[in-house]
Amino acid sequence: ALEDVGSPPHTAHAKGLVPHRRWFAREIALGQRHLLDHYDLKKRQYLCSTSMTAELSFLVANFAHCRPGTLMLDPFCGSASLLISAAHFGSYTLGGDIDIRVIRGKELDKAMPGHCRFARTLKDVEVGPINNFRQYGLTPPLDLVR
């Protein structure tokens, strides 16, 4: 409850003021801005050109009412940014993408240090979307399919 008793200079500290306005409110939710820093793209192990920002992916996951016991299906998952946000809220996740290279992951290019290339086979994968789930301690997706 909030009360407005006014604050004229001569009654600022007077006791026994009668409020002339009252507001009753209910707290619906608290902000979770700290999640944006924790899940920032700059800290992710695996990125690709289709990675969605943490702010947008948490917004979409919130609109989708992701919570424990629900399923989030992202047919265009790319590097799984939206699935990571949904998994944070407890949803089961399932993703797909037309480009199998993005889902499979990348291997380090030994000839060019620091440069990554898409893995040709599953045994060559060194980093992929699943690494991001492990990085944050989230339940990995049920599957990532093409």
Side-chain angles (χ1 to χ4, degrees):
L2 300 170
E3 296 180 344
D4 180 11
V5 294
S7 58
H10 59 281
T11 61
H13 299 301
K15 294 185 179 182
L17 292 177
V18 178
H20 57 273
R21 286 193 286 187
R22 289 188 175 118
W23 295 275
F24 296 95
R26 171 185 255 173
E27 183 177 74
I28 296 174
L30 296 174
Q32 297 184 11
R33 302 274 313 163
H34 66 281
L35 294 177
L36 301 181
D37 183 51
H38 182 68
Y39 289 97
D40 190 13
L41 286 181
K42 296 175 187 173
K43 299 175 183 175
R44 297 250 174 109
Q45 291 179 2
Y46 177 70
L47 292 174
C48 66
S49 60
T50 62
S51 297
M52 186 184 296
T53 64
E55 187 172 31
L56 186 56
S57 63
F58 274 102
L59 185 70
V60 172
N62 190 26
F63 284 153
H65 298 284
C66 292
R67 61 189 181 280
T70 60
L71 175 67
M72 166 59 84
L73 169 63
D74 183 1
F76 311 105
C77 71
S79 63
S81 296
L82 180 55
L83 298 181
I84 288 170
S85 298
H88 171 81
F89 291 125
S91 290
Y92 297 109
T93 56
L94 180 64
D97 203 293
I98 195 166
D99 189 354
I100 191 66
R101 299 172 304 163
V102 174
I103 293 174
R104 187 183 301 142
K106 294 181 178 183
E107 65 179 290
L108 296 178
D109 188 345
K110 310 302 185 221
M112 298 175 70
H115 178 72
C116 286
R117 65 174 181 216
F118 288 113
R120 289 179 288 252
T121 65
L122 284 176
K123 66 180 176 137
D124 295 331
V125 173
E126 294 185 26
V127 62
I130 302 300
N131 290 72
N132 291 338
F133 286 87
R134 290 186 193 125
Q135 175 184 355
Y136 297 120
L138 299 172
T139 304
L142 301 172
D143 203 0
L144 296 174
V145 296
R146 177 175 184 221

